[in-house]
Amino acid sequence: MKAIIGKKVGMTSIFGTDGKQTACTIIEAGPCVVTQVKTKETDGYNALQIAFGDKKDKHATAAEKNHFAKANTPAKKISREFRDYSIEKILGESITVEIFTEGEKVDVVGTTKGKGFQGVVKRHGFSGVGQQSHGQHDRQRAPGSLGNSSDASRVMKGMRMAGRMGGDRVKLKGLQVVKIFPEKNYILVSGSVPGHNGAIVFIQK
Amino acid sequence: MNAVAYVHEQLTPKKEFPKFKAGDNITVNYKIIEGGKERIQGFRGDVIKRQGTGATQNFTVRKISDSIGVERTFPLLSPNIESILVNKVGKVRRAKLFFQRERSGKSARIKEKKMAVATV
């Protein structure tokens, strides 16, 4: 595994040589700092803890400051552990977008936009109830029956109903790295990625 | 400079087109591939919409072909657009001329804007 933490900046589109327009997302990724190296001998598994985004000194707790001081870096906003990191890195070393190459397929993990309390049509893709005319009352987007009658006398577990939607962790697989700008720490991936602009995303492979 | 503008500047080739807006009559010369060969085809009509900024700008041209309305939307910075010619500058009061879709014949005409000509 190799991974980097980034911030979704926005979307744009670029043109291929054949004139095809591709939608892509700009992610400002890194530079991240290796803040802890876990090994099989000391921790039972191999992993790398990497951190991204500066935190103001007055907002960092003493524990955070001391932890990050081991890697010789100021306190960071986000730190995340990635198991079995494929690139050899030592404590305090930085990770930039250059770990990826153009044309590579990557996975992007993020948190989707919160949609609030939504009905079953939007939340679970129900098709709604029947026709609009022929005496149908005003319940076009209702869920319909919840299940059986006296045999079960209860609603089955996991029945899809209305409720809070969005704000879920989502991993999008197989997005293509379209372009890398190492001087600005930008990475362009094809298509959209979860979350609003400014949301934290993890690019991994 | 924001990130979107930066990426746009780095990746989209610079192109110069004459200024045009909704209501203008233009000819878009664009490349098409026909039987493995590339050639230029023109599309002449009225601009009914301009939309977007930066690399994602596009515009829609409407023409009447054999009494059937035909609309085509082009990305402004597409590499397939060879050139754009402005034939007439229209006099319109709106930025989006979708009302043209309900009109035909005489009522679908767009008045031409008279340009001040210097007299000798």
Side-chain angles (χ1 to χ4, degrees):
Chain A
M1 155 162 284
K2 57 180 178 179
I4 194 166
I5 307 171
K7 196 172 81 176
K8 177 174 167 180
V9 175
M11 288 190 74
T12 184
S13 65
I14 62 164
F15 292 98
T17 43
D18 54 350
K20 273 215 173 119
Q21 208 174 4
T22 319
C24 44
T25 309
I26 308 167
I27 298 169
E28 192 182 341
C32 296
V33 185
V34 177
T35 48
Q36 197 181 357
V37 182
K38 292 195 172 179
T39 58
K40 186 123 197 172
E41 294 77 53
T42 54
D43 305 279
Y45 61 96
N46 292 320
L48 220 57
Q49 188 193 72
I50 64 176
F52 169 72
D54 284 336
K55 202 176 197 175
K56 267 191 182 160
D57 208 36
K58 65 174 180 181
H59 291 145
T61 63
E64 278 173 344
K65 278 181 198 164
N66 284 324
H67 176 67
F68 289 115
K70 284 180 204 156
N72 215 353
T73 164
K76 299 279 183 185
K77 266 186 183 158
I78 309 281
S79 56
R80 188 64 47 135
E81 205 173 280
F82 294 98
R83 286 206 177 196
D84 300 319
Y85 212 84
S86 55
I87 307 165
E88 202 73 40
K89 292 277 180 188
I90 56 159
L91 190 66
E93 210 174 340
S94 78
I95 295 170
T96 62
V97 285
E98 280 160 309
I99 58 170
F100 295 109
T101 51
E102 279 164 25
E104 207 173 5
K105 298 270 191 210
V106 292
D107 299 343
V108 176
V109 181
T111 308
T112 57
K113 282 182 186 172
K115 302 279 193 298
F117 192 100
Q118 294 297 334
V120 287
V121 173
K122 190 182 176 85
R123 191 172 183 222
H124 298 297
F126 284 18
S127 53
V129 178
Q131 303 160 296
Q132 297 218 338
S133 59
H134 289 285
Q136 175 65 46
H137 200 56
D138 57 348
R139 55 193 310 271
Q140 272 94 21
R141 297 174 72 91
S145 168
L146 291 185
N148 315 356
S149 179
S150 57
D151 196 5
S153 286
R154 62 188 174 88
V155 175
M156 295 297 167
K157 267 194 177 168
M159 179 59 59
R160 293 173 297 167
M161 294 192 200
R164 277 274 179 100
M165 186 184 169
D168 305 318
R169 179 194 152 102
V170 167
K171 182 192 276 181
L172 285 181
K173 290 183 175 175
L175 300 184
Q176 198 176 23
V177 177
V178 178
K179 187 88 189 165
I180 288 169
F181 297 99
E183 72 281 5
K184 287 267 186 184
N185 296 314
Y186 293 156
I187 179 165
L188 255 69
V189 294
S190 63
S192 53
V193 306
H196 52 83
N197 288 347
I200 295 293
V201 291
F202 309 117
I203 308 166
Q204 58 194 46
K205 195 193 175 185
Chain B
M1 184 191 287
N2 75 38
V4 176
Y6 178 81
V7 168
H8 171 211
E9 199 177 280
Q10 299 290 312
L11 293 183
T12 319
K14 296 267 178 307
K15 284 188 144 190
E16 286 293 323
F17 293 121
K19 252 177 119 173
F20 65 95
K21 57 171 185 52
D24 294 356
N25 188 289
I26 63 169
T27 306
V28 184
N29 293 315
Y30 61 101
K31 291 180 209 156
I32 56 168
I33 291 166
E34 207 171 50
K37 268 203 217 155
E38 201 181 83
R39 68 182 187 87
I40 307 284
Q41 197 171 54
F43 191 93
R44 183 180 170 150
D46 298 325
V47 180
I48 62 163
K49 177 186 83 181
R50 284 199 66 159
Q51 178 184 287
T53 53
T56 55
Q57 286 181 74
N58 56 45
F59 60 94
T60 302
V61 182
R62 178 179 171 87
K63 73 168 178 182
I64 305 293
S65 173
D66 295 331
S67 75
I68 293 179
V70 179
E71 280 178 22
R72 224 190 130 124
T73 302
F74 299 94
L76 183 68
L77 298 174
S78 163
N80 283 350
I81 292 186
E82 188 72 18
S83 65
I84 296 174
L85 302 171
V86 179
N87 308 314
K88 278 184 213 166
V89 178
K91 188 177 162 189
V92 288
R93 293 183 173 190
R94 303 199 188 326
K96 306 275 152 70
L97 307 181
F98 301 139
F99 64 86
Q100 286 286 66
R101 289 172 181 161
E102 273 99 57
R103 297 196 178 182
S104 60
K106 232 177 191 181
S107 65
R109 283 174 311 173
I110 294 174
K111 261 193 187 167
E112 197 178 341
K113 201 172 191 176
K114 295 281 187 297
M115 296 293 182
V117 183
T119 46
V120 183

